[in-house]
Amino acid sequence: MTVGRPTFVGHLIGASFGVVFVIVNAAGLEAAAAVPLRILAVAAFAVVLVAFVRTMRILRAAGDRPPVGFTRFFWLVVVIEAVALFGGLAVLSQIEPAAALGWIALVVGVHFYPLARLWREGRRQLLSIATAMTILGVIGLLLAFTLHDAVLVAAVSGVGSGAVLLGWSLLQAVGTLSARSAVTPG
């Protein structure tokens, strides 16, 4: 059996970070905006989780294993991301604390570019995520250094990045849940 559009662990990871980005960074918004955003984020994550479980069940029933993508290259990208993230945050906290979320969005966005090389199947989506989050990060940095408004940066770079991550994962999950599993000829 196969599923037309599988939801893999990468989608679940993206949705996990996305829901955290939205929940945490909506804190500075008015309740009328923050509450619905948080509810939508949790609902989107739930859909991704259900689609992930469906994909794993279909693969298990067919005796297939999910593709493995956590290679040395992946871990090298993650280590470089962590160094850039924490090093940059240490510097920015001394210069402009409001820039933290812009920096986080920028570094996380940039880390998707080399990952697009690793996972060819989702390359176009990963490049789109990389570009969107990088732009949101740059905008957040510009806002931080010009307006010094941490709440605005959190809305743009934090909630915006969460929406990008959740949106990507949710689109894949909806495809998984709407696709019919099919028996492949053996």
Side-chain angles (χ1 to χ4, degrees):
M1 295 186 125
T2 61
V3 63
R5 293 186 57 197
T7 300
F8 290 122
V9 71
H11 301 106
L12 192 60
I13 293 169
S16 298
F17 280 102
V19 74
V20 170
F21 263 98
V22 172
I23 288 173
V24 170
N25 295 302
L29 301 175
E30 295 290 328
V35 171
L37 284 171
R38 288 174 170 154
I39 291 169
L40 287 171
V42 170
F45 178 78
V47 172
V48 174
L49 183 59
V50 168
F52 174 76
V53 169
R54 178 172 193 241
T55 296
M56 293 305 111
R57 283 185 182 158
I58 289 169
L59 291 175
R60 201 173 309 122
D64 293 337
R65 301 182 87 170
V68 178
F70 300 115
T71 63
R72 277 190 225 164
F73 179 76
F74 169 83
W75 290 112
L76 177 64
V77 170
V78 170
V79 166
I80 292 169
E81 175 189 25
V83 168
L85 187 66
F86 293 112
L89 287 173
V91 171
L92 286 172
S93 69
Q94 302 301 312
I95 300 169
E96 177 55 67
L101 279 168
W103 180 252
I104 292 168
L106 175 65
V107 171
V108 172
V110 168
H111 109 284
F112 281 108
Y113 285 111
L115 292 183
R117 182 176 151 232
L118 179 62
W119 292 308
R120 291 189 175 115
E121 184 176 312
R123 179 173 286 153
R124 194 172 61 221
Q125 294 86 349
L126 289 170
L127 290 173
S128 296
I129 292 165
T131 302
M133 287 188 68
T134 300
I135 290 169
L136 289 169
V138 169
I139 291 170
L141 288 169
L142 290 172
L143 291 170
F145 283 104
T146 57
L147 301 178
H148 313 285
D149 186 341
V151 173
L152 183 58
V153 175
V156 172
S157 296
V159 175
S161 292
V164 168
L165 290 170
L166 276 167
W168 162 66
S169 298
L170 182 62
L171 284 174
Q172 188 70 28
V174 167
T176 297
L177 295 173
S178 63
R180 296 177 182 241
S181 57
V183 177
T184 56

